[in-house]
Amino acid sequence: MIAPIISIRNMHKWYSGVHALRGVSLDINPNEALGLIGDNGAGKSTLINILSGAQTADEGEIEIDGALVNIRNPRDAMDLGIETIYQYNSMVPTMSIARNMFIGREPLKVSLFGIGIMDQQKMRDDSVKAIADVNLHLRSPDALVGELSGGQRQGVAIARAMHFRSRLMILDEPTNHLSVKETAKVIGFVQSLKNQNVTSIFISHNMHHVFECCDRVVAMARGKIVLDKRIEDTSIEEVHEVL
Amino acid sequence: MGANLDFMRKFDYMKRALKVYMEKPELAALVLLVGLIILFQYLSDGVFLNANNLRGILGILPEIGLMVIGVTILMIAGEFDLSVGSVFALMPMTMAVLMADGTPFFFAFVAGMAFALLIGFVNGYLTVKFAIPSFITTLGMLFIARSLTIVISGGFPPLLPNDLPNWLFTVFVGPGHLFRMSFIWFVLIGVAASLMMSRTNFGNWIKATGGFLPAADAMGIPTARVKIAAFMLCSVLAGFAGMLQVLRLGSPLPSIGEGWELQAVAAAVIGGTALNGGVGAVIGGVIGAILIRVIDNGLVLSQVDSNWFKFAIGFLTIFAVVANSWLRKRAKSMKVET
């Protein structure tokens, strides 16, 4: 029995009368690629937002490596090694790749009270390296993110998450709005995470994508987990049925 | 064959350089500025660039210029400030009233700056906290600050004391006494602001906040504080600029700065700052401010009816934005490898 990297215990969330999460508990094991599936409003986004610090739970606990943690904002989550890649991109299109890689975590040459002069050479060099590490080919770290294709952007987002040595990578519908070819590439990224000691949660509407790259599938409906099985123990049909 | 390949590589390099320049939002303004200077020099029979006239332009430039620096940075952060023209008058009026009561210049200066900072904070706090458009909050503040200026002046602008540190702000210095001390302040603050935007992590946060707020939030940037700080910076620069004008004129008129808030926005936009945030540069705003001063002065020298001034500003604002978007589109369609 392996100890889970993250445990969620009895999590509840209300939105002015709507009970969005009804006591969700979930263990995520190290190096696991977990596929999270559910219809709109099933509660999966809420669960993910709580893990990534975008929202806070009304009730419930999160443990990382067995220790109770308090995630109040995105910064807390990132400091705990939880990186999130969002559907609508966590990139600023009007800024360069190098600047995007380090938003909020810029390496500083000198600083006073957290404000200081950025080490731009290091930002460029590290970006080039991080991007090469995920097998993405981009000419210049100075190119604007707005000029990249959707798939390239997700690639840069994944490179960023890898660079900051994330332990848990949350990919929130990363293949939406992507072409077939680019989707295949993102799926490839997710598959390669396991070899790099990264645990991942992959959220998708597309059952085939989940079955292609995940070890385990968790389905949510009406704020609860309704199915939690290893991929080899279930089928697309069975998951469809419980939804 | 080898020579051909070499040529191709050079061509590719030039194309990339061209693309980078075409994407610089301040480019159109710079080209316009050079063109207008040549035109006015010609129309005024060489008077435009003589020392006396330059002295006039460079004497007033810091006042609008400092205001534009603040407005540009705030616009890059994705917000607006329409109250800068009023703060421009309120800050020096606060100082003048305090000095008339016997407060030394330094303490009056600190109080005036603190008041400007407070107004910036209120603008930012209300905008962020209640998620209202800054257009509304600062429009309200435009009236409030102007009203306060007139109220505290008691209707009659107080006399300024005689022992003001003009040597620090308004005396002519430099080669041929070409500019005032205020110009040095303008250059120093302009360089500092420009470096802040391009070199510091705070500048990165401002660009991210205005460029795409959800991403900035998701990456853990304190966007509310970044915006409030930008509002405060904008307000304090406008106040400081107002003080420079009052010291130059020697009297705290309650009506100074009226309409400047829109000129400042125009200058920022002419300089390539995007109205919806994220794009722009301090140098662009500065070029825009210079353009406005050059047009104002050049029209007079060319003996054109000065009522054309606002026409020219309006025309330029629209023209610069159209030119910029055209340039950017052209640059985007240029195929270079990413």
Side-chain angles (χ1 to χ4, degrees):
Chain A
M1 187 65 204
I2 334 155
I5 178 169
I6 290 199
S7 300
I8 297 161
R9 297 262 161 273
N10 192 29
M11 190 157 284
H12 286 271
K13 178 78 183 176
W14 283 267
Y15 294 113
S16 55
V18 179
H19 201 170
L21 283 186
R22 301 161 182 257
V24 170
S25 295
L26 184 63
D27 284 337
I28 302 161
N29 299 317
N31 279 9
E32 187 171 53
L34 186 146
L36 186 59
I37 280 186
D39 211 344
N40 288 339
K44 57 188 194 319
S45 293
T46 306
L47 181 65
I48 289 322
N49 283 343
I50 290 169
L51 273 180
S52 61
Q55 294 176 354
T56 48
D58 294 319
E59 221 176 90
E61 292 170 347
I62 302 172
E63 281 179 5
I64 293 186
D65 296 328
L68 202 62
V69 295
N70 190 5
I71 302 176
R72 290 156 306 177
N73 53 47
R75 197 57 212 235
D76 284 348
M78 291 194 282
D79 290 343
L80 288 166
I82 302 173
E83 295 276 337
T84 311
I85 289 154
Y86 294 91
Q87 173 182 356
Y88 290 108
N89 244 293
S90 30
M91 296 270 151
V92 181
T94 49
M95 288 165 68
S96 73
I97 294 172
R99 279 177 174 245
N100 262 291
M101 286 280 298
F102 291 93
I103 291 177
R105 292 182 282 197
E106 298 84 355
L108 301 177
K109 284 186 197 161
V110 279
S111 72
L112 196 66
F113 304 118
I115 303 290
I117 296 169
M118 299 185 289
D119 188 344
Q120 302 202 60
Q121 194 55 46
K122 182 173 162 53
M123 286 165 68
R124 275 195 205 98
D125 294 346
D126 286 2
S127 307
V128 169
K129 192 177 168 304
I131 287 165
D133 282 349
V134 295
N135 288 323
L136 197 65
H137 302 289
L138 294 174
R139 255 201 66 94
S140 160
D142 299 321
L144 297 183
V145 164
E147 290 186 2
L148 304 181
S149 72
Q152 286 173 324
R153 284 186 210 193
Q154 294 298 45
V156 174
I158 290 169
R160 175 170 65 188
M162 296 301 297
H163 176 78
F164 286 100
R165 312 213 168 281
S166 84
R167 305 189 57 206
L168 174 68
M169 195 181 298
I170 302 172
L171 298 111
D172 190 0
E173 315 238 9
T175 53
N176 271 18
H177 323 291
L178 293 191
S179 67
V180 176
K181 205 173 143 197
E182 289 183 327
T183 300
K185 201 153 190 196
V186 171
I187 301 275
F189 280 136
V190 178
Q191 284 168 332
S192 68
L193 289 178
K194 268 176 282 183
N195 309 327
Q196 305 183 51
N197 278 330
V198 177
T199 311
S200 60
I201 301 180
F202 181 79
I203 298 131
S204 180
H205 274 111
N206 191 317
M207 215 80 80
H208 296 280
H209 293 167
V210 169
F211 274 78
E212 207 173 317
C213 66
C214 297
D215 308 315
R216 177 179 160 201
V217 57
V218 170
M220 288 185 73
R222 293 166 301 280
K224 285 183 168 173
I225 290 177
V226 291
L227 179 139
D228 182 351
K229 281 190 173 172
R230 310 278 316 161
I231 288 285
E232 56 270 23
D233 301 335
T234 184
S235 64
I236 291 184
E237 291 70 30
E238 187 188 6
V239 178
H240 256 303
E241 221 148 87
V242 297
L243 295 179
Chain B
M1 191 65 193
N4 201 358
L5 212 80
D6 195 46
F7 171 76
M8 288 298 285
R9 203 168 297 141
K10 254 186 198 150
F11 182 71
D12 197 49
Y13 176 78
M14 275 164 55
K15 221 166 114 183
R16 186 167 300 123
L18 185 65
K19 181 180 158 84
V20 167
Y21 277 105
M22 277 165 71
E23 276 171 348
K24 288 239 185 264
E26 58 269 21
L27 177 73
L30 189 61
V31 173
L32 269 172
L33 177 62
V34 174
L36 277 177
I37 289 175
I38 294 169
L39 178 72
F40 285 137
Q41 177 72 356
Y42 170 74
L43 287 179
S44 65
D45 295 322
V47 178
F48 184 75
L49 285 181
N50 79 14
N52 247 329
N53 194 48
L54 281 182
R55 221 166 272 151
I57 295 178
L58 297 178
I60 310 177
L61 175 65
E63 295 156 17
I64 181 83
L66 284 167
M67 185 190 279
V68 170
I69 290 172
V71 167
T72 303
I73 292 173
L74 183 61
M75 279 173 72
I76 296 172
E79 299 292 347
F80 254 129
D81 191 350
L82 293 177
S83 70
V84 283
S86 300
V87 173
F88 184 84
L90 179 56
M91 187 281 188
M93 185 62 80
T94 309
M95 282 182 70
V97 170
L98 286 174
M99 288 191 292
D101 274 350
T103 314
F105 177 87
F106 178 75
F107 293 107
F109 174 74
V110 170
M113 294 293 259
F115 199 5
L117 277 174
L118 176 72
I119 290 176
F121 176 79
V122 171
N123 281 338
Y125 183 80
L126 293 177
T127 302
V128 171
K129 184 80 183 169
F130 298 100
I132 29 180
S134 47
F135 184 88
I136 305 296
T137 31
T138 61
L139 178 65
M141 193 56 82
L142 177 152
F143 293 115
I144 293 171
R146 181 66 65 184
S147 172
L148 280 177
T149 309
I150 299 165
V151 169
I152 64 171
S153 77
F156 289 98
L159 285 175
L160 293 178
N162 292 321
D163 56 343
L164 293 173
N166 285 329
W167 56 273
L168 192 54
F169 297 112
T170 55
V171 292
F172 282 102
V173 288
H177 282 207
L178 206 55
F179 42 82
R180 291 169 185 264
M181 274 304 287
S182 58
F183 186 73
I184 306 235
W185 281 99
F186 174 50
V187 172
L188 287 179
I189 293 173
V191 169
S194 198
L195 288 177
M196 180 190 85
M197 291 305 287
S198 61
R199 300 281 171 85
T200 71
N201 55 345
F202 186 64
N204 216 35
W205 299 353
I206 290 178
K207 281 184 188 157
T209 300
F212 190 44
L213 191 62
D217 279 328
M219 295 314 294
I221 290 178
T223 53
R225 266 183 279 167
V226 167
K227 282 190 175 184
I228 291 173
F231 271 107
M232 291 171 77
L233 180 67
C234 181
S235 211
V236 86
L237 283 178
F240 184 70
M243 181 196 74
L244 291 179
Q245 177 158 87
V246 163
L247 290 178
R248 180 172 61 83
L249 299 175
S251 173
L253 301 174
S255 62
I256 58 170
E258 258 171 14
W260 278 34
E261 55 282 330
L262 295 181
Q263 278 192 34
V265 171
V269 168
I270 291 171
T273 311
L275 214 54
N276 38 13
V279 178
V282 170
I283 183 70
V286 168
I287 293 171
I290 299 174
L291 254 176
I292 287 183
R293 292 319 315 156
V294 162
I295 291 169
D296 191 10
N297 181 278
L299 288 180
V300 175
L301 287 188
S302 319
Q303 296 174 331
V304 178
D305 182 347
S306 66
N307 288 314
W308 285 99
F309 170 61
K310 283 184 180 168
F311 180 96
I313 301 297
F315 176 79
L316 263 190
T317 306
I318 298 172
F319 178 80
V321 173
V322 171
N324 262 326
S325 89
W326 182 81
L327 275 174
R328 224 166 294 162
K329 220 174 274 169
R330 293 286 306 187
K332 213 167 197 172
S333 68
M334 277 169 79
K335 287 280 169 255
V336 290
E337 246 181 285
T338 44

